[in-house]
Amino acid sequence: MSAIKVEKLAYSYVGLEQGQSVKVFEDLDLEIEQGTFVAILGSNGSGKSTLAKHFNAILLPGGGKCHVYGMDTADEELLIPIRRSVGMVFQNPDNQIVANVVEEDVAFAPENLGVASPMIRHRVDNALKQVGMYHYRTHAPHLLSGGQKQRIAIAGVIAMEPRCIVLDEPTAMLDPKGRREVMETVARLNKEKGITVVLITHHMDEAAKADRVVVIHKGVVRADGRPKEVFSDIDYMHELGLAAPETVELCHELNKLGYALPLDLLESEDCAQALYNALGGN
Amino acid sequence: MAPILEVRNLTHVYSAGTPFEHRAVDDMSFSVQRGEFIGIIGHTGSGKSTLMQHLNGLLKPTSGQVLLDGVDIHSDKKFTRQARFRVGLVFQYPEYQLFEETVYKDIAFGPKNMGLKAEEIDRRVREAAKLVGLTDAQLEVSPFDLSGGQKRRVAIAGVIAMEPEVLILDEPTAGLDPASRAGILENIETYRKTKNATIMMVSHSMNDVARLTERLLVLSGSKLAMDGTPAQVFTRADELLDMGLDIPDVTRVFLRLKQLGLPLEPVYTIEQAVAAVKKLKEGK
């Protein structure tokens, strides 16, 4: 079943100059299967975030269609079920946290959805456990680290029990530990709870953890496949202003010395083993 | 050589005497030479931002001193004001601070405040713009019409136009794509070379600091935990991981190769990795 289906999407926004219109998409098709973990890559201004905002009807198509679990996002009547199905997490955790106590913040969305109070208690506890922040439920969010705050924001989305979570550069402001915490949480929600994950990122190593990588360039899908396939075309990635994970970049450079290392080694352990064999270590 | 900047037993306590008292910087000491490129790494809340804000006098130490060219920047108001211009600070997401009608006016804001003559302001604006790769035509447009990466460049140019002897940047590449990231890092390196300026860059990217800097200050729990070359710092992988930090991916690969028995020294950039493999091959 498809979680998100975008057909012939066209979208333009009004520029700052009067009467100016800036085209983001003309004719974009993309389908995301329920339960998959998809990373969307693209240089700044490629249209990634604009696309993501179509996934829960923050933006509506200027042309073509966007369906979320079969619901047309242009149908105003369906706005609430759409927003319940697809939750969004943004870059800056400080802009997403509204309450003074962690558990109250997580309860904000289900309260607004009119969930009955005993159910809210259950959902909040459950969501906090899933992101590993249950222990902090009575803490003040502003005293937490960036990674912890971002996990609270994710818990706030999970408490709505969405089937899909869209994260727009959730780790851009985090330190290495915070990044690891968020990435582990997202991967676990996908693997254990079957939640569809759409991750927009500039970190190639994060995209490498996805089932599928979609590369958008100037409003057009330019690459789409398993991370190993997409990153192994390293010259093409460079051409699009992107990169490959450092392990792949390393093998690529070493191949210029005459080695024939595969360009799909995304884990440092795999990369080390291949290098060990190539260097005659075995 | 006398250091350009010296931090002596710097301590900063927020909300002293209240239940919210927090020692954000605890007895840090280090000195910095002209022309050095220093990376500052540390987990969230380790004291990086508080430290940065002391270096141009935005915050006053609770105890300890910050010396610029041997003079305590708080010993006289005149010196504090000078420190504002001699030490340039680029905050996180500096593009949010753009406000002028044109890119030119925005970059000119700092030099204008320094009370410079019109021709000198013009020279500096054009030079700074050129250094970060902005064209003459772009100087006349509204900064809000530019892309995210370009806006970031305008904001950095605005600080560079003050020609600070020490340029401090807080995560200058956060949220940018790999190509923009590489471009901005190259601009910073060019500024260092042409002006023999000191660069201090806060970053969460171990790969970036490994590639660019000659020295790393590692902050952890409000203390200066390590001060050394990237080679010295990244060999202490376990400690870094405990502090919530990381090591570059190539370092991880090479540490594993060494464990597997290959006679390889630790490396922390791809160039070094390639050189190390070459050496190993020729040695056989």
Side-chain angles (χ1 to χ4, degrees), chain A residues 79-95:
Chain A
L79 189 63
I80 289 175
I82 288 170
R83 296 254 165 101
R84 276 187 193 195
S85 307
V86 181
M88 294 275 281
V89 176
F90 297 97
Q91 197 177 90
N92 188 346
D94 290 324
N95 295 345

Side-chain angles (χ1 to χ4, degrees), chain B residues 158-228:
Chain B
V159 176
I160 282 180
M162 294 195 284
E163 301 191 347
E165 292 154 72
V166 181
L167 177 63
I168 305 176
L169 307 107
D170 193 354
E171 286 197 69
T173 63
L176 298 183
D177 61 60
S180 313
R181 216 144 67 200
I184 280 178
L185 293 174
E186 203 180 297
N187 298 153
I188 295 168
E189 175 61 9
T190 308
Y191 180 70
R192 179 178 80 96
K193 278 196 186 138
T194 51
K195 301 283 177 189
N196 191 32
T198 305
I199 310 288
M200 299 179 80
M201 180 173 83
V202 173
S203 178
H204 285 319
S205 165
M206 303 299 127
N207 296 355
D208 285 351
V209 293
R211 210 175 60 246
L212 283 158
T213 68
E214 301 155 325
R215 178 178 165 198
L216 291 177
L217 300 178
V218 184
L219 272 53
S220 181
S222 311
K223 296 241 183 218
L224 179 59
M226 297 183 203
D227 177 354

Side-chain angles (χ1 to χ4, degrees), chain A residues 201-248:
Chain A
T201 182
H202 283 312
H203 292 288
M204 303 302 136
D205 51 334
E206 291 176 4
K209 308 266 185 243
D211 303 321
R212 175 180 168 202
V213 174
V214 176
V215 179
I216 295 189
H217 188 70
K218 293 184 179 160
V220 177
V221 174
R222 297 284 291 271
D224 185 351
R226 290 186 306 123
K228 286 185 173 215
E229 295 160 7
V230 172
F231 287 125
S232 57
D233 197 353
I234 190 166
D235 292 327
Y236 189 49
M237 293 299 279
H238 289 165
E239 199 183 298
L240 300 180
L242 300 174
E246 220 183 25
T247 48
V248 178

Side-chain angles (χ1 to χ4, degrees), chain A residues 16 44 91 175 177 269 279, chain B residues 44 93 145 177 244 256 284:
Chain A
L16 291 171
N44 295 112
Q91 197 177 90
D175 62 19
K177 181 164 175 254
E269 178 60 31
L279 294 172
Chain B
T44 311
Y93 295 84
D145 279 348
D177 61 60
R256 180 79 180 117
K284 274 190 175 168

